[in-house]
Amino acid sequence: MNVQFRYQLILLFVAFHCPGFTYAQSSKVDSLKKLVPSLSATDRIDGLNALSEAFWGMRILDSAQFFAMKAVDESTKIKYGLGLGNALANLATVDYEIGNFVEMEKRSLISISIFTKLHVEKRLANGYALLGQAIWAQSKFDQAIEAFDQAAHYYSRFKDSTALGRTYGRMALLEEERGNYERSFQYCLKALKFNKNEAFFSLGQLYADVGDYETAREYYGKISQRLKVGTYLKIGETYYLQTNYDSAQYYYQLYIRESRDVSKKTLTKAYALLGGLYLKLEKYDTALFYLNIALTDFEKDNNRNWIMRVLLELGKAYKESGEVSKAIKTTNELLTTAEESGARQYIRDAHYLLFQLFDRLEQKNSAYLHLKQYTALNNEIGIDISARKLSFYKTSHEREQAQLKIALLSQQRQLQQEELKQASQQREFLYMGILAIALLAFVLVRNVLLKKREEKHLRELAETELRIQKLETKKQLGDLEMQVLRTQMNPHFLFNSLNSINRFILQNNKSQASLYLTKFSRLVRMILQNSQNKLITLEQELDSLKLYLSLEALRFDDHFMFAITVQDDLDVSALKVPPLIIQPYVENAVWHGLMHKEEKGQLDIDVLSEKGFLYIKIMDNGIGRQKATMLQEKADTTHKSMGIGITSQRIAMLEEPSSKGSVAINDLVEINGTPCGTEVILKLPIMYD
């Protein structure tokens, strides 16, 4: 057997077995090590590169690096371009595993230059993929997307579906990381066609972003066993976001145990996440210890994505531990890095943290400027998040329709006529769903235009306000905080209503879906009209409240009755109230009081005036707050509504020259002390135009 033929066998073996090397295959690597010394010139260099790739497949990084360096030295001596390009690509692969991203970028660029001159397009695909990973880790997002696009182009030409799916999966994670969620979702769909592991990982991340942590963990669980360790940090993060800190800590520690033998660099992310966990547990010294270790390692590797994440957590930790000056310095570093990288979510979070810090120092002007920038950016990102949620609901619906179609096709021939009838009904429901999505899209676009107009007005107002005395600045700051609270209310309510429409559609309940969709469209139109004004008439508020309650009663099969009573001498068409000021308390009474009641419930809303104030009493005969709290804790819900807290802050900020709003919540009990419901009393200043 001649040398060239033997080496061809080596290359075939490595190409087919490197990705899945096991301990049992180490004897074959030993055979390669014995064979390489007998080779010479270019054959020897190719053999060294084959050994480097084999050891990388076994995750023995020191040996992979050693043989690649030898290939570099020998290729340079005899001016063997292809061998040098392959060796540099192998070193770049090892650099990624150990976090040496700056050196990885340099080696990838040189290998790409070599492969371009030699017209080796198959190796160019791998070179561009490595370059994309290296510069992505340094938060050069636009350049990374360009490199991945080049890699995808070459992988597509040579029909390398596995590598193509892996590339699309990385592009999905990159776009998600910099806040372009719709693009990320589209790349997920592309990855799903070629490489399910990459698609499952990206989809898990996106479902975690929208708060569906159970589905996120389902996707992580679908990833093949050999890649399971890489999901432990992500699974831990889903538990962390659910405030299930014990489970989060378990998966972080599990990742540390499973990764310890691979590379110390792989532990840095786990240290960063543990730092964030201890911050939530209010163990600030421990949090600072882990976060500073992680920051040092990430800065050495110029891993700017994780640098920004750790800087944000450090700023919060310094703030909570009382080290305000360190917190401001750290947060300013985050803002500078985020602005250079174009990471909108970190720019937003940095502005909000600086607002809190300057507000604590009572530097109101600086606080106001950062709050204004946070508000504008938060509104932008909020629109992206709404669009992302719509995409997920639409995709879930299409997937379930496909599953239904497969089930129907497997039935006997006598059911074919019924299948056509059901398909027609499904199209009707799909059209109704599309109409609902189009209506909500119209609402979002309209809000964008209105907010741009409002931002222009705020800029003009800000220039005047900065010249006013300190007391006036404080009042304007309060008004802007109320604006932030209002913008957080509307998406919350719209999301719950859209979820109800989706449920009716999936249940094929045509009549209920049609009735609910009709009422929901009216309610959306009311919200669109009311949200343009800081104050609306009491009549408009009560009309939207009646429509909301009728929607809830319809959704829960008339499980409760309601009545709204207004004092005779009140002019509801003249009195003014903030929009959606009553609805969160009514929603709380329905969901946590009446829905858990076995028999039909009753909700009464009384509106009256007394001594210059408007009183709104909300009374339910539900199960009471104590029992509701116990049920909620047992339910282990993943969603925590902020509606009550936000609305109570809005009411507290309603301040007229001689009056101020307030909220009182009373537990109702029978004579024998048994809980029989809850009473909420809203006290609002009487306001007119």
Side-chain angles (χ1 to χ4, degrees):
M1 181 185 296
N2 61 45
V3 172
Q4 184 63 32
F5 182 66
R6 281 186 296 171
Y7 177 59
Q8 289 174 351
L9 289 178
I10 293 173
L11 291 183
L12 285 172
F13 168 77
V14 172
F16 283 106
H17 293 82
C18 274
F21 255 55
T22 63
Y23 178 77
Q25 293 169 311
S26 61
S27 59
K28 297 180 181 179
V29 175
D30 292 337
S31 298
L32 289 172
K33 290 172 68 176
K34 293 178 181 178
L35 181 60
V36 167
S38 65
L39 303 175
S40 61
T42 59
D43 287 345
R44 173 179 168 80
I45 294 168
D46 290 339
L48 291 171
N49 278 323
L51 271 172
S52 175
E53 292 171 14
F55 276 114
W56 179 85
M58 297 173 64
R59 292 300 187 271
I60 304 176
L61 302 181
D62 290 342
S63 296
Q65 189 176 46
F66 172 77
F67 285 106
M69 289 298 297
K70 291 194 70 173
V72 168
D73 292 339
E74 296 188 19
S75 297
T76 304
K77 289 178 181 178
I78 67 172
K79 297 181 180 180
Y80 178 32
L82 181 60
L84 179 60
N86 288 333
L88 290 171
N90 290 339
L91 285 173
T93 304
V94 176
D95 287 334
Y96 179 77
E97 295 294 335
I98 64 177
N100 191 3
F101 302 117
V102 176
E103 196 64 30
M104 179 184 181
E105 179 183 359
K106 295 177 183 177
R107 287 167 172 161
S108 299
L109 285 169
I110 297 173
S111 69
I112 289 172
S113 176
I114 293 172
F115 295 143
T116 301
K117 290 179 182 178
L118 297 176
H119 304 290
V120 188
E121 293 187 347
K122 287 187 177 181
R123 297 298 294 166
L124 267 176
N126 185 53
Y128 278 115
L130 290 170
L131 178 62
Q133 290 176 267
I135 55 183
W136 172 21
Q138 300 174 66
S139 294
K140 302 174 184 177
F141 295 114
D142 290 335
Q143 297 174 44
I145 281 291
E146 290 177 5
F148 284 136
D149 271 333
Q150 287 291 330
H153 166 73
Y154 287 115
Y155 285 137
S156 179
R157 284 185 60 181
F158 297 109
K159 295 181 173 54
D160 190 342
S161 58
T162 301
L164 184 59
R166 182 171 61 248
T167 303
Y168 283 138
R170 289 168 180 168
M171 295 170 82
L173 290 174
L174 185 153
E175 294 292 3
E176 181 274 335
E177 190 167 308
R178 66 169 172 176
N180 290 333
Y181 302 112
E182 182 60 32
R183 290 182 187 174
S184 175
F185 182 71
Q186 295 303 321
Y187 282 127
C188 280
L189 295 181
K190 289 184 178 181
L192 196 59
K193 297 178 183 178
F194 304 106
N195 190 323
K196 290 187 176 180
N197 283 328
E198 293 290 339
F200 291 156
F201 192 87
S202 303
L203 285 168
Q205 181 64 50
L206 284 175
Y207 271 102
D209 286 343
V210 300
D212 190 349
Y213 305 118
E214 296 295 336
T215 305
R217 287 195 286 270
E218 286 180 14
Y219 275 109
Y220 292 141
K222 292 179 180 180
I223 295 174
S224 62
Q225 191 64 36
R226 67 187 180 85
L227 302 173
K228 273 282 189 272
V229 175
T231 68
Y232 291 155
L233 290 183
K234 291 297 182 181
I235 294 173
E237 281 190 272
T238 63
Y239 283 115
Y240 169 83
L241 293 170
Q242 289 179 280
T243 68
N244 188 345
Y245 298 132
D246 289 340
S247 296
Q249 188 174 25
Y250 167 78
Y251 277 99
Y252 293 161
Q253 297 290 358
L254 180 62
Y255 177 84
I256 290 174
R257 288 198 302 272
E258 296 290 335
S259 304
R260 190 175 297 276
D261 295 334
V262 179
S263 170
K264 291 183 179 179
K265 291 284 186 181
T266 62
L267 305 180
T268 307
K269 291 181 181 178
Y271 291 153
L273 293 173
L274 281 171
L277 176 62
Y278 283 116
L279 174 59
K280 284 291 185 182
L281 296 175
E282 299 182 1
K283 298 179 180 179
Y284 303 124
D285 290 341
T286 307
L288 289 168
F289 171 76
Y290 278 111
L291 290 171
N292 278 305
I293 289 177
L295 181 62
T296 300
D297 286 346
F298 288 137
E299 285 178 339
K300 287 179 182 177
D301 302 331
N302 196 29
N303 190 338
R304 302 184 76 184
N305 301 330
W306 278 88
I307 287 173
M308 290 186 289
R309 181 169 182 166
V310 173
L311 284 172
L312 179 60
E313 296 294 286
L314 271 174
K316 293 177 181 178
Y318 284 130
K319 169 179 168 285
E320 296 301 329
S321 61
E323 300 182 73
V324 178
S325 60
K326 285 187 178 181
I328 292 175
K329 179 178 179 296
T330 301
T331 310
N332 277 323
E333 290 178 14
L334 167 62
L335 184 58
T336 300
T337 305
E339 287 175 341
E340 291 173 354
S341 305
R344 295 186 304 165
Q345 68 275 35
Y346 286 117
I347 298 173
R348 175 199 62 191
D349 295 342
H351 279 305
Y352 190 71
L353 185 53
L354 286 169
F355 152 67
Q356 292 177 313
L357 291 166
F358 284 118
D359 187 55
R360 177 179 291 187
L361 295 174
E362 297 187 357
Q363 296 181 19
K364 299 300 182 183
N365 289 341
S366 297
Y368 171 76
L369 290 175
H370 285 292
L371 181 60
K372 185 174 69 172
Q373 294 181 70
Y374 160 76
T375 303
L377 195 54
N378 189 52
N379 289 344
E380 264 181 48
I381 295 176
I383 292 169
D384 286 350
I385 291 173
S386 297
R388 175 171 37 135
K389 289 178 178 177
L390 286 175
S391 297
F392 268 78
Y393 279 115
K394 181 178 179 182
T395 303
S396 299
H397 176 64
E398 290 173 348
R399 184 173 62 249
E400 293 183 14
Q401 295 302 315
Q403 292 172 350
L404 177 60
K405 184 177 179 181
I406 293 172
L408 291 172
L409 289 174
S410 66
Q411 294 178 352
Q412 298 178 358
R413 290 185 177 181
Q414 59 264 33
L415 297 178
Q416 289 181 351
Q417 188 63 36
E418 181 64 24
E419 176 185 347
L420 293 174
K421 181 180 177 181
Q422 291 185 9
S424 176
Q425 292 177 343
Q426 291 164 14
R427 282 194 298 272
E428 291 178 7
F429 289 128
L430 179 60
Y431 295 150
M432 292 169 65
I434 292 173
L435 284 174
I437 292 170
L439 179 60
L440 187 57
F442 171 77
V443 172
L444 294 173
V445 171
R446 179 80 178 275
N447 275 334
V448 170
L449 296 175
L450 291 173
K451 285 172 183 174
K452 286 184 177 179
R453 188 182 305 167
E454 185 179 2
E455 286 171 3
K456 181 179 179 181
H457 173 69
L458 285 175
R459 283 195 299 270
E460 296 171 353
L461 184 61
E463 293 175 359
T464 302
E465 288 173 339
L466 290 176
R467 303 187 194 94
I468 301 175
Q469 297 178 354
K470 183 177 180 181
L471 290 176
E472 183 63 18
T473 302
K474 180 179 179 182
K475 185 176 185 301
Q476 293 299 329
L477 179 61
D479 287 341
L480 188 55
E481 289 174 339
M482 286 187 65
Q483 179 191 347
V484 175
L485 295 172
R486 288 201 308 274
T487 58
Q488 291 175 353
M489 284 291 294
N490 290 341
H492 164 73
F493 176 66
L494 287 174
F495 172 76
N496 285 343
S497 298
L498 185 59
N499 192 37
S500 299
I501 295 173
N502 188 52
R503 182 168 64 86
F504 282 130
I505 292 174
L506 294 180
Q507 291 175 349
N508 285 337
N509 193 335
K510 182 178 179 181
S511 61
Q512 289 290 83
S514 177
L515 178 59
Y516 197 99
L517 184 59
T518 300
K519 291 189 175 186
F520 171 69
S521 64
R522 287 178 54 205
L523 186 57
V524 169
R525 185 164 58 250
M526 283 185 182
I527 291 173
L528 177 61
Q529 294 169 347
N530 294 344
S531 64
Q532 298 178 37
N533 303 305
K534 184 176 178 181
L535 296 174
I536 61 173
T537 66
L538 179 58
E539 182 179 25
Q540 291 172 314
E541 177 73 1
L542 293 178
D543 286 344
S544 64
L545 187 61
K546 289 175 186 176
L547 188 53
Y548 164 75
L549 284 169
S550 67
L551 284 171
E552 292 289 54
L554 178 62
R555 180 158 49 145
F556 295 107
D557 300 325
D558 294 321
H559 187 69
F560 69 93
M561 299 176 63
F562 66 91
I564 300 177
T565 306
V566 181
Q567 185 175 305
D568 292 337
D569 58 350
L570 281 182
D571 188 355
V572 294
S573 64
L575 284 169
K576 295 288 187 176
V577 295
L580 283 177
I581 203 71
I582 306 173
Q583 186 271 339
Y585 297 98
V586 172
E587 178 184 343
N588 198 57
V590 172
W591 279 85
H592 301 296
L594 298 174
M595 285 302 98
H596 298 294
K597 189 178 177 69
E598 294 182 1
E599 62 274 12
K600 179 175 287 190
Q602 177 67 36
L603 178 67
D604 293 314
I605 302 169
D606 296 332
V607 184
L608 63 151
S609 65
E610 184 179 334
K611 296 180 180 180
F613 285 95
L614 181 66
Y615 289 89
I616 300 169
K617 297 183 179 180
I618 305 164
M619 294 170 287
D620 68 78
N621 64 346
I623 62 175
R625 287 193 295 171
Q626 183 177 1
K627 189 172 181 180
T629 301
M630 294 172 60
L631 291 174
Q632 189 175 9
E633 290 175 352
K634 290 180 180 179
D636 189 28
T637 179
T638 62
H639 174 69
K640 295 187 177 180
S641 172
M642 297 191 301
I644 297 298
I646 292 172
T647 307
S648 63
Q649 292 180 57
R650 293 175 65 199
I651 292 173
M653 291 178 186
L654 290 175
E655 189 170 349
E656 291 296 300
S658 60
S659 59
K660 192 171 184 179
S662 65
V663 181
I665 302 177
N666 304 316
D667 295 315
L668 303 179
V669 295
E670 301 282 4
I671 298 176
N672 59 4
T674 303
C676 63
T678 306
E679 177 187 58
V680 179
I681 301 175
L682 309 183
K683 177 184 176 184
L684 308 177
I686 289 183
M687 295 177 285
Y688 297 95
D689 283 330

